[in-house]
């Protein structure tokens, strides 16, 4: 049975829901396997006692002179070192746990990396001549298919595919069509919500180990190999053998299933052309291999840097296919294959550096559980009904039998609206609430009432005022040009040489926005209003007659009219009123600023003194707080610089290898140690200054409260004194008018 990869992990599951379980970050595991050789460089390569570290020593080259600062020793810490290890031990150490987790729904990837001829294909595939020497792929197939026969609670379907990337071209090694090595134009790497898959790759269902091994051997025969100086059967392409596992539970076989896949990757070996002596087509293949491995190393470095936002997975077909394996939903294991001869020590160092960088990559493996959407909806509906019954039982136990959890009816909404209105009118003191839906409806009714009141006020004031939006610069400029407003946006008090007597509203910040209190003109106060926006064209039409702009429907109240009439009568008879004004005119009170200053010097002197003292203390605390903040910023900036320097040194140490003492602790140089100690001192100083800043902020807040309290008392006292003077002035003015009236009556 052959299926195309488009319907396995393509994301075309309209009726299914992909469920992610609890996620936990894991680091990539890296192991080293040393190729057995009779010329093993024992004086150059040393292994730790725990088989988890490897040290490389190189003697200095005497030809380069006495002064030679070239590094001669490296230390690498990994998850395990396989030296003279059998295939059984290699599989148990590297792959057995990963395959077991894949059977439970976790994706897995095992990757072999190293120079050409280091034993990658042997580790992954093994020797076909001896069953005992079979590699990771045959053993993984055996473990998976044995586990499927033991499952009694679920149906397990196993499928396999075999992909080859040769000269940046995708090939299906299990395709039924004969390949001419020109590549399949329909094959492409595609991203989907569930991960990355190869469109057009054939996927074959297997039920027995023999069927899977036959497909593996068929794919091996289609691989491209060549001979060069270091390897007679050198792989000229990257190959990915994938095992797809789909488990359906017997109870929910139609609605719920778990999927996973295991990528078993045999990378082509990196080559030094000076050692392999490649020419012609082999040289071209080596160029593609080294280029793709270089892109892979760039991806690994980028993934290990937490400051990198973008990872360029699309640089090559290999890195794009490995997107999930290197930084996504997958358990990943790397096997770095190295040679033990002294002549290959440079390539060995390169492979170990790559393995060390891989250890810093984190992945987030999750169980890939897929559920049918219709079944999930029905399940959730049943759960809702069950929870409602539980709530009803709980309410009956606490005597809340009238509580319902269904959506509110029209009658209930009308009742809540009536209660809200009565509450606002003061007829009732509280509103009956028994569930969350009613709380939401009460807030909704309050919001509707506020909105209605805003619209009513806006409509009433809009009919009374013509306003200009102060953000409409063209309208404001036209109004200033016409002389309706001054440069500060205030309405001009007199127009056409007459007392305007108008009621004006301020400029509105935006249509229907926040109501603002209008400013008063020199001759007359204004009433509050709400703004509406006028465009420049509308304003040009509006400004044709100045006397028609911003006129109130009521110019003055009755008292102001009577006062103006009296003033007019007085002006009509200046000769008669002059003696009375001169004889009975009271002394005018001082202006408000002068009166306030007098109050601060006399009655409010003590309060003014306390206000000034508190204000001086507040300013001193604020100045000290500003100084501490500046020092904290300087310390923080210096700490960031030290952290960047430490990060650069650690990155350099990871690339060149780390020194490890007998206890397994990493050895650092003196410069890095001094930076760490300086960073520690700066952190201590930062904590001390930060604590002082918090105390200062508390003091500033308290002092600000005292200053505000003194200011309010001082201002309120001044207002009371001013009000007394204003009342006296009003009484004097009233007596003056009364005297004039009596005088006119006597004369009449």
């Amino acid at each position: 049975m052959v299926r195309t990869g488009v319907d396995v992990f393509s994301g075309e599951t309209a009726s299914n829901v992909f469920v992610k379980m609890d996620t936990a970050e894991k680091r990539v595991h890296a192991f080293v396997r040393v190729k057995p050789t009779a010329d093993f460089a024992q004086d150059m390569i040393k292994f730790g006692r725990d088989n988890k570290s490897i040290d490389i020593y190189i003697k200095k080259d005497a030809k380069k002179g006495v002064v030679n600062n070239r590094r001669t020793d490296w230390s690498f810490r990994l998850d395990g070192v396989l030296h003279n290890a059998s295939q059984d031990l290699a599989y148990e150490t590297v792959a057995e746990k990963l395959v077991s987790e894949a059977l439970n729904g976790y994706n897995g990837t095992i990757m072999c990396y190293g120079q050409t001829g280091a034993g990658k294909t042997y580790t992954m595939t093994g020797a076909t001549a001896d069953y005992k020497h079979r590699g990771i792929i045959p053993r993984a197939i055996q473990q998976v298919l044995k586990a499927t026969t033991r499952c009694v609670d679920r149906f397990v379907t196993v499928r396999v595919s075999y992909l080859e990337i040769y000269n940046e071209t995708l090939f299906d090694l299990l395709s039924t069509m004969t390949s001419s090595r020109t590549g399949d134009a329909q094959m492409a790497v595609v991203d989907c919500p569930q991960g990355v898959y190869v469109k057009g790759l054939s996927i074959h269902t297997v039920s027995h180990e023999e069927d899977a091994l036959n497909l593996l051997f068929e794919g091996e025969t289609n691989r491209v190999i060549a001979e060069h100086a270091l390897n007679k059967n050198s792989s000229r392409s990257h190959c990915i053998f994938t095992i797809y596992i789909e488990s359906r539970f017997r109870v929910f076989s139609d609605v719920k299933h778990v999927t996973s896949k295991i990528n078993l990757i045999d990378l082509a070996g990196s080559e030094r052309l000076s050692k392999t002596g490649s020419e012609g087509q082999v040289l071209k293949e080596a160029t593609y291999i080294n280029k793709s491995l270089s892109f892979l190393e760039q991806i690994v470095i980028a993934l290990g840097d937490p400051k990198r936002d973008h990872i360029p997975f699309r640089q090559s077909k290999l890195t794009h296919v490995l997107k999930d394996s290197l930084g996504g939903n997958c358990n990943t294991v790397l096997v770095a294959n190295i040679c033990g001869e002294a002549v290959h020590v440079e390539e060995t160092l390169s492979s170990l550096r790559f393995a060390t960088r891989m250890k810093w990559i984190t992945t987030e493996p999750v169980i890939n559980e897929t559920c049918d959407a219709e079944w999930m909806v029905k399940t959730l509906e049943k759960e809702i009904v069950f929870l409602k019954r539980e709530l009803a039982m709980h309410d009956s136990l606490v005597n809340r039998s009238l509580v319902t959890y269904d959506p509110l009816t029209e009658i209930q909404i009308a009742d809540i609206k009536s209660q809200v209105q009565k509450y606002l009118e003061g007829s009732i003191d509280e509103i009956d609430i028994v569930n969350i839906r009613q709380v939401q409806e009460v807030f909704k009714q309050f919001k509707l009432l506020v909105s209605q009141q805003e619209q009513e006020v806006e409509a009433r004031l809009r009919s009374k005022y013509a306003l200009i939006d102060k953000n409409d610069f063209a309208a404001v400029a036209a109004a200033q040009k016409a002389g309706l407003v001054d440069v500060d946006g205030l309405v001009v008090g007199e127009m056409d040489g007459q007392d305007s007597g108008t009621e004006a509203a301020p400029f509105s910040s935006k249509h229907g926005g926040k109501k603002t209190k209008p400013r008063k003109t020199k001759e007359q106060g204004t009433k509050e209003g709400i703004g509406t926006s006028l465009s420049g064209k509308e304003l040009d039409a509006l400004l044709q007659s100045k006397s028609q702009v911003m006129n109130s429907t009521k110019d003055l109240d009755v008292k102001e009219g009577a006062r103006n009439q009296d003033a007019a009568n007085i002006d009509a008879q200046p000769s008669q009123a002059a003696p009375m004004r001169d004889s009975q005119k009271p002394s005018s009170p001082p202006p408000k600023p002068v009166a306030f200053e007098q109050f601060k010097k006399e009655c409010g002197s003590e309060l003014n003194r306390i206000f000034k003292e508190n204000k001086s203390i507040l300013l001193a605390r604020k100045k000290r707080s500003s100084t501490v903040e500046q020092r904290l910023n300087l310390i923080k900036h210096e700490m960031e610089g030290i952290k960047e320097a430490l990060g650069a040194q650690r990155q350099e140490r990871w690339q060149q290898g780390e020194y490890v003492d007998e206890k397994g602790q990493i050895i650092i140089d003196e410069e890095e140690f001094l930076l760490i100690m300086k960073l520690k001192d700066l952190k201590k100083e930062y904590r001390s200054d930060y604590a002082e800043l918090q105390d200062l902020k508390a003091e500033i807040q308290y002092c600000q409260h005292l200053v505000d309290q003194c200011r309010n008392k001082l201002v309120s006292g001044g207002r009371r004194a001013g009000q007394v003077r204003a009342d006296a002035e009003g009484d004097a003015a009233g007596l003056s008018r009364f005297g004039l009236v009596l005088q006119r009556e006597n004369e009449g």
Side-chain angles (χ1 to χ4, degrees):
M1 177 181 179
V2 179
R3 298 180 59 188
T4 59
V6 67
D7 56 359
V8 177
F9 287 93
S10 63
E12 298 176 1
T13 54
S15 61
N16 293 336
V17 178
F18 185 74
V19 180
K20 284 190 175 183
M21 309 300 287
D22 295 336
T23 61
E25 288 190 355
K26 289 186 177 180
R27 289 194 178 274
V28 174
H29 294 283
F31 297 89
V32 175
R33 189 175 191 185
V34 185
K35 181 180 180 181
T37 177
D39 299 329
F40 184 76
Q42 297 181 358
D43 55 338
M44 300 177 66
I45 302 176
K46 304 289 184 181
F47 304 109
R49 297 179 180 179
D50 56 354
N51 282 333
K52 290 187 177 181
S53 62
I54 181 170
D55 301 327
I56 306 296
Y57 302 95
I58 301 178
K59 295 181 180 180
K60 287 190 176 182
D61 191 358
K63 297 180 180 179
K64 294 186 178 182
V66 179
V67 180
N68 185 3
N69 296 325
R70 185 180 180 184
R71 189 172 179 177
T72 58
D73 54 346
W74 294 263
S75 180
F76 300 93
R77 185 79 179 174
L78 303 168
D79 293 294
V81 178
L82 301 174
H83 180 49
N84 293 327
S86 63
Q87 293 282 66
D88 292 334
L89 179 60
Y91 182 79
E92 291 175 2
T93 305
V94 173
E96 189 172 14
K97 181 180 178 181
L98 184 144
V99 175
S100 299
E101 292 183 350
L103 291 169
N104 294 326
Y106 293 96
N107 294 335
T109 295
I110 302 175
M111 183 191 314
C112 287
Y113 176 91
Q115 73 173 102
T116 180
K120 299 181 298 300
T121 304
Y122 177 79
T123 300
M124 191 58 65
T125 307
T128 57
D130 194 345
Y131 181 76
K132 185 175 67 173
H133 294 159
R134 66 193 188 281
I136 292 176
I137 296 178
R139 293 173 186 271
I141 292 173
Q142 182 183 36
Q143 182 179 349
V144 169
L145 292 175
K146 279 187 176 181
T148 58
T149 58
R150 298 172 186 169
C151 290
V152 295
D153 59 338
R154 48 185 167 175
F155 302 100
V156 181
T157 304
V158 180
R159 302 180 179 90
V160 297
S161 66
Y162 210 169
L163 174 69
E164 181 185 40
I165 304 175
Y166 173 73
N167 291 355
E168 278 300 297
T169 307
L170 302 175
F171 294 95
D172 185 0
L173 295 179
L174 301 182
S175 176
T176 54
M177 298 187 305
T178 58
S179 175
S180 60
R181 308 311 300 173
T182 58
D184 190 349
Q186 296 180 354
M187 294 183 65
V189 184
V190 180
D191 291 294
C192 69
Q194 286 77 21
V196 176
Y197 75 100
V198 179
K199 182 179 179 181
L201 180 65
S202 63
I203 300 177
H204 303 254
T205 303
V206 294
S207 303
H208 303 88
E209 181 181 354
E210 183 180 358
D211 298 336
L213 291 178
N214 288 335
L215 291 172
L216 173 63
F217 296 149
E218 178 183 349
E220 287 295 318
T221 57
N222 294 329
R223 289 187 63 174
V224 179
I225 59 175
E227 180 180 356
H228 54 71
L230 298 181
N231 192 355
K232 294 183 179 180
N233 297 311
S234 175
S235 300
R236 313 310 296 164
S237 61
H238 310 295
C239 292
I240 304 174
F241 187 88
T242 306
I243 304 175
Y244 304 91
I245 306 172
E246 181 178 338
S247 302
R248 292 185 177 271
F249 296 90
R250 296 181 185 273
V251 180
F252 302 104
S253 60
D254 296 332
V255 297
K256 185 177 180 180
H257 62 278
V258 177
T259 59
S260 62
K261 60 180 179 179
I262 308 173
N263 292 321
L264 304 171
I265 305 169
D266 180 14
L267 297 174
S270 58
E271 300 181 11
R272 287 182 181 266
L273 301 181
S274 59
K275 293 183 178 181
T276 59
S278 301
E279 296 178 353
Q281 182 65 21
V282 179
L283 175 61
K284 179 182 178 181
E285 294 167 352
T287 303
Y288 276 103
I289 292 171
N290 291 338
K291 183 179 179 180
S292 61
L293 292 177
S294 177
F295 286 143
L296 176 61
E297 189 164 3
Q298 292 178 16
I299 294 294
V300 171
I301 294 174
L303 288 170
D305 185 1
K307 296 182 180 180
R308 289 287 294 270
D309 296 329
H310 173 67
I311 309 299
F313 284 107
R314 295 176 180 268
Q315 283 186 336
S316 67
K317 298 288 181 61
L318 175 64
T319 55
H320 198 180
V321 171
L322 298 181
K323 182 177 179 180
D324 289 342
S325 302
L326 294 177
N329 173 22
C330 189
N331 290 316
T332 305
V333 175
L334 173 73
V335 180
N337 295 89
I338 62 174
C339 296
E341 291 90 344
V343 69
H344 299 304
V345 67
E346 294 293 337
E347 290 79 5
T348 297
L349 282 172
S350 177
S351 299
L352 292 174
R353 291 192 188 102
F354 181 83
T356 303
R357 296 189 189 106
M358 281 287 293
K359 279 178 61 62
W360 290 99
I361 298 177
T362 57
T363 60
E364 297 180 356
V366 297
I367 296 178
N368 305 305
E369 186 176 90
T370 307
C371 297
D372 182 71
E374 184 177 355
W375 172 80
M376 286 193 69
V377 170
K378 292 181 179 179
T379 303
L380 293 175
E381 289 177 349
K382 292 179 180 179
E383 185 71 15
I384 291 172
V385 173
F386 175 76
L387 292 175
K388 284 184 177 181
R389 292 175 181 174
E390 288 285 336
L391 286 172
M393 181 181 297
H394 173 73
D395 293 335
S396 63
L397 293 175
V398 295
N399 296 325
R400 299 173 70 233
S401 58
L402 299 179
V403 179
T404 60
Y405 299 95
D406 296 325
L408 298 178
T409 62
E410 296 294 334
I411 298 175
Q412 291 174 326
I413 294 175
D415 181 61
I416 292 174
K417 184 177 180 180
S418 175
Q419 290 189 60
V420 170
Q421 291 177 348
K422 291 180 181 179
Y423 177 79
L424 293 175
E425 293 171 357
S427 302
I428 59 175
D429 295 332
E430 59 184 16
I431 301 174
D432 297 332
I433 298 296
V434 293
N435 57 30
I436 298 297
R437 294 183 187 272
Q438 290 184 350
V439 174
Q440 294 175 344
E441 185 62 31
V442 167
F443 278 104
K444 182 179 179 182
Q445 293 299 327
F446 274 119
K447 187 176 181 180
L448 289 175
L449 288 174
V450 172
S451 178
Q452 291 175 2
Q453 290 181 358
E454 287 180 351
Q455 292 176 2
E456 291 174 0
V457 173
E458 181 178 355
R460 185 167 61 251
L461 295 180
R462 190 179 296 172
S463 63
K464 189 175 181 180
Y465 299 102
L467 304 180
I468 304 171
D469 187 354
K470 71 178 183 180
N471 293 325
D472 189 350
F473 300 106
V476 173
Q480 292 176 351
K481 184 177 181 180
L484 297 180
V485 295
D486 58 12
V487 294
D488 296 327
L490 299 178
V491 179
V492 177
E494 293 185 0
M495 294 182 293
D496 296 335
Q498 297 179 354
D499 188 4
S500 63
T502 60
E503 296 182 10
F507 292 144
S508 170
S509 61
K510 62 179 182 178
H511 179 71
K514 182 179 179 182
K515 285 78 178 175
T516 59
K517 189 173 182 180
R519 301 181 182 178
K520 292 187 177 181
T521 61
K522 295 181 180 179
E523 281 94 5
Q524 185 179 356
T526 60
K527 295 184 179 180
E528 292 182 359
I530 183 166
T532 58
S533 300
L534 294 177
S535 63
K537 294 182 179 179
E538 294 173 348
L539 186 64
D540 293 337
L542 186 65
L543 297 178
Q544 293 177 1
S545 176
K546 294 184 179 179
S547 61
Q548 298 178 358
V549 179
M550 297 184 180
N551 286 331
S552 171
T553 57
K554 296 182 180 179
D555 294 330
L556 294 171
D557 56 17
V558 177
K559 293 182 181 180
E560 291 173 340
R563 188 179 300 173
N564 291 336
Q565 184 65 34
D566 292 338
N569 294 333
I570 293 172
D571 294 336
Q573 300 176 355
S575 61
Q576 298 176 1
M580 189 68 182
R581 289 198 300 269
D582 295 337
S583 61
Q584 298 183 5
K585 182 178 179 181
S587 60
S588 61
K592 288 184 178 180
V594 177
F596 185 63
E597 291 297 329
Q598 290 179 0
F599 170 76
K600 289 194 294 182
K601 293 179 181 179
E602 297 172 0
C603 301
S605 60
E606 182 65 19
L607 191 60
N608 188 34
R609 182 186 63 80
I610 297 174
F611 172 73
K612 289 183 177 180
E613 290 180 357
N614 290 338
K615 191 173 182 181
S616 62
I617 295 173
L618 176 62
L619 293 176
R621 294 293 186 273
K622 286 185 176 180
K623 186 176 180 181
R624 174 61 181 169
S625 175
S626 177
T627 303
V628 175
E629 286 179 351
Q630 292 177 1
R631 188 163 66 246
L632 281 173
N633 290 333
L634 292 175
I635 294 174
K636 186 177 180 181
H637 182 71
E638 189 174 359
M639 289 169 60
E640 290 177 353
I642 293 175
K643 288 180 180 179
E644 291 180 359
L646 285 173
Q649 287 197 357
R650 289 171 182 169
Q651 188 73 16
E652 183 180 359
R653 189 175 69 242
W654 295 335
Q655 293 177 358
Q656 296 180 357
E658 298 177 340
Y659 294 94
V660 181
D661 58 10
E662 296 178 354
K663 297 181 179 180
Q665 297 180 350
I666 299 175
I667 300 175
I668 60 176
D669 56 11
E670 183 179 358
E671 182 180 357
E672 186 174 355
F673 176 75
L674 292 176
L675 288 175
I676 293 173
M677 295 304 297
K678 186 175 181 182
L679 181 62
K680 185 177 180 181
D681 294 338
L682 287 174
K683 287 183 177 179
K684 184 177 180 181
E685 185 178 356
Y686 184 87
R687 294 190 190 100
S688 177
D689 290 346
Y690 185 78
E692 182 182 357
L693 180 63
Q694 295 300 317
D695 295 338
L696 286 172
K697 286 184 177 180
E699 293 180 10
I700 290 171
Q701 186 177 3
Y702 180 71
C703 291
Q704 185 69 50
H705 175 70
L706 292 179
V707 170
D708 294 340
Q709 190 176 12
C710 289
R711 182 186 290 111
N712 293 333
K713 289 182 179 180
L714 197 60
V715 172
S716 61
R719 285 177 179 173
R720 285 196 297 270
Q723 184 64 34
V724 172
R725 292 185 177 88
D727 292 341
E729 181 184 4
D731 294 340
L735 290 173
S736 176
R737 288 196 300 271
F738 182 67
L740 291 174
V741 173
L742 289 178
Q743 183 181 6
R744 286 197 297 270
E745 289 179 354
N746 294 330
E747 291 175 354

